Amino acid sequence: METAEYIDVLAREGRSLAAAAAEAGPDAKVPTCPGWQLRDLLRHTGMVHRWATAFVAEGHTSYRPDGGLPDLDGAALLDWFEEGHGRLVDTLSAAPPDVACWYFLPAPSPLAFWARRQAHETTVHRFDAESARAVAPSAISPEFAVDGIDELLRGFHARGKSKVRSAEPRVLRIRATDTEQGAVWTVRLSAEPAVTEAGDVGDADCEIAGPAADLYLALWNRLPFPGVTGDGALPDLWRATSAVTWG
């Protein structure tokens, strides 16, 4: 996907998140984020949007902590979220392709990283917000879901801080079943950070297969795994160790 496409997704998903939050109300429980109400989701996502904006807009070339959560609620909190989301979209849209700033996963450029990361951050949290309503959340395209799976497996869980590890070497296969050319990842687990390769590479101890969007949300611990064959301990290991936490 191109940077402009990610920004378009970010813009759309942020508007949908705000609409769902306005409909459900700040007290609504978020079933995909146990212990959270929608006010918590808005505060967190809005904080992340402002944190990302600062790197691109101000050109910080080293890590900087976030600005903390706001002491806002109700309509004022929703306005604050919408303002920060709009500022992020505008900042990414106006930034030069060669903008220099800090980023934390492999990417063609800092701008490409932040557009991609915030598009996925906002999409997952839009799903969270819509899950707080009485109607089913809107769909995620297979292409975007495949991109998000790749970011999670080959980005987040390739880092030293990932806790997805196994005392004995194990191989987990992830297979999207609804893409034209197929999308498959082979995840090698050991006592070191996971190593993920694209495609069917050797034998696997367990395979998780299903529509790309279901896999994407399941790997982000938002849905049950769609289809599991082989060693069921590996999906359990993923559930127990794969959470990406803030800070």
Side-chain angles (χ1 to χ4, degrees):
M1 292 178 63
E2 300 295 327
T3 297
E5 294 177 276
Y6 289 121
I7 296 172
D8 287 344
V9 172
L10 167 63
R12 182 181 68 248
E13 296 290 320
R15 290 192 298 267
S16 296
L17 194 164
E23 179 181 341
D27 294 332
K29 293 181 179 180
V30 182
T32 50
C33 299
W36 272 18
Q37 296 174 297
L38 264 173
R39 60 172 56 85
D40 301 302
L41 185 68
L42 286 174
R43 288 168 181 161
H44 167 78
T45 312
M47 174 272 291
V48 173
H49 285 170
R50 282 166 166 75
W51 179 72
T53 297
F55 286 107
V56 179
E58 300 169 20
H60 301 299
T61 55
S62 59
Y63 172 81
R64 291 169 64 92
D66 62 78
L69 301 177
D71 185 19
L72 297 171
D73 206 348
L77 175 59
L78 187 59
D79 289 345
W80 175 86
F81 171 83
E82 292 178 318
E83 178 188 5
H85 168 252
R87 190 183 308 156
L88 174 59
V89 171
D90 291 346
T91 295
L92 293 173
S93 298
D98 61 350
V99 63
C101 63
W102 179 83
Y103 60 110
F104 62 88
L105 295 178
S109 69
L111 181 60
F113 164 80
W114 283 112
R116 183 194 200 194
R117 175 80 292 277
Q118 291 309 301
H120 286 293
E121 175 86 11
T122 307
T123 297
V124 171
H125 287 319
R126 183 274 298 168
F127 181 85
D128 293 331
E130 291 186 345
S131 296
R133 306 179 309 174
V135 297
S138 52
I140 297 170
S141 75
E143 177 191 26
F144 186 72
V146 164
D147 182 80
I149 294 168
D150 199 73
E151 183 204 41
L152 183 62
L153 296 178
R154 300 210 288 177
F156 278 102
H157 290 296
R159 300 187 299 170
K161 64 171 59 179
S162 173
K163 296 180 181 179
V164 181
R165 304 187 185 209
S166 172
E168 298 295 328
R170 309 291 282 165
V171 179
L172 174 64
R173 186 106 67 216
I174 307 295
R175 185 184 304 276
T177 57
D178 61 342
T179 58
E180 289 186 6
Q181 298 179 341
V184 184
W185 298 263
T186 300
V187 185
R188 301 189 182 281
L189 303 175
S190 70
E192 300 299 319
V195 175
T196 299
E197 303 173 73
D200 287 289
V201 184
D203 296 331
D205 298 294
C206 175
E207 177 168 306
I208 303 173
D214 290 351
L215 290 173
Y216 173 62
L217 292 167
L219 289 166
W220 275 108
N221 297 315
R222 263 56 184 191
L223 289 179
F225 287 113
V228 176
T229 55
D231 186 356
L234 291 185
D236 291 341
L237 173 69
W238 183 273
R239 284 277 188 242
T241 61
S242 67
V244 177
T245 56
W246 186 254

